[in-house]
């Protein structure tokens, strides 16, 4: 077992039961949101030529006011144990592929990303499952 895993296990074992239950609930909700985003992936324009991971990330931008870098890493890799630079690269690719369609993705310094007019995009792309968060 690596030191990071050992440290994470120790940190979790020190948390009160209520905090662990809350953390599990939060992670379950995030996974449910990700699954729903994946089911909507077919609604994105094919001419954007987004890869499956790029589509998942773009859909997360539509579903959430802000997508944090940790959320993006979870979407892309299933873990938050990756470098943030890889998320920046994915966002750059998405921006490049969608810029001709007036898609604007803002960087929120030290936090993550935000899709400008996300609810308009949800309606334009006919993604009815998007809720206001």
């Amino acid at each position: 077992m690596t030191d990071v895993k050992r440290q994470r296990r120790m940190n979790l074992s020190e948390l009160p039961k209520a905090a662990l239950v809350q953390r599990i609930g939060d992670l379950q909700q995030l996974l449910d949101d990700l699954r729903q985003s994946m089911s909507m992936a077919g609604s994105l324009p094919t001419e954007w030529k987004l890869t499956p991971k790029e589509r998942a990330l773009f859909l997360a931008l539509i579903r959430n006011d802000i997508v944090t870098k940790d959320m993006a890493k979870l979407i892309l890799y299933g873990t938050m144990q990756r470098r943030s630079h890889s998320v920046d690269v994915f966002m750059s690719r998405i921006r490049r592929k969608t810029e001709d369609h007036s898609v604007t993705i803002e960087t929120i310094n030290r936090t993550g990303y935000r899709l400008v007019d996300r609810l308009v995009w949800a309606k334009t792309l006919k993604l009815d499952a998007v809720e206001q968060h």
Side-chain angles (χ1 to χ4, degrees):
M1 185 181 313
T2 67
D3 288 338
V4 172
K5 286 182 182 177
R6 194 173 288 120
Q7 180 67 31
R8 194 174 331 126
R9 179 174 282 165
M10 288 176 15
N11 289 343
L12 289 176
S13 66
E14 294 169 3
L15 291 175
K17 183 178 180 179
L20 288 172
V21 170
Q22 178 63 43
R23 179 75 175 138
I24 290 168
D26 292 345
L27 289 172
Q28 184 62 49
Q29 181 61 49
L30 182 57
L31 285 172
D32 291 344
D33 290 347
L34 292 173
R35 284 187 189 105
Q36 185 172 1
S37 292
M38 287 181 201
S39 68
M40 295 186 305
S43 301
L44 297 179
T46 55
E47 63 269 13
W48 290 2
K49 297 183 174 143
L50 297 176
T51 67
K53 286 185 177 186
E54 292 166 348
R55 279 194 307 269
L57 199 49
F58 187 81
L59 289 168
L61 287 166
I62 288 177
R63 288 207 28 90
N64 299 280
D65 289 328
I66 294 175
V67 173
T68 66
K69 289 192 176 195
D70 282 343
M71 287 171 66
K73 287 187 274 188
L74 190 59
I75 291 164
L76 295 169
Y77 307 111
T79 179
M80 292 183 279
Q81 304 302 316
R82 289 287 191 113
R83 296 177 52 141
S84 292
H85 178 70
S86 63
V87 174
D88 299 333
V89 171
F90 270 96
M91 283 299 178
S92 175
R93 290 178 187 162
I94 293 169
R95 284 177 171 138
R96 186 177 63 245
K97 291 178 178 183
T98 61
E99 68 187 351
D100 290 342
H101 304 278
S102 302
V103 173
T104 303
I105 300 170
E106 292 181 339
T107 299
I108 310 297
N109 195 23
R110 296 186 177 147
T111 303
Y113 301 91
R114 182 179 84 83
L115 177 65
V116 175
D117 297 326
R118 74 180 182 89
L119 297 176
V120 173
W121 277 107
K123 188 173 183 177
T124 301
L125 297 171
K126 297 179 176 73
L127 299 174
D128 298 328
V130 174
E131 304 165 5
Q132 240 177 329
H133 292 288

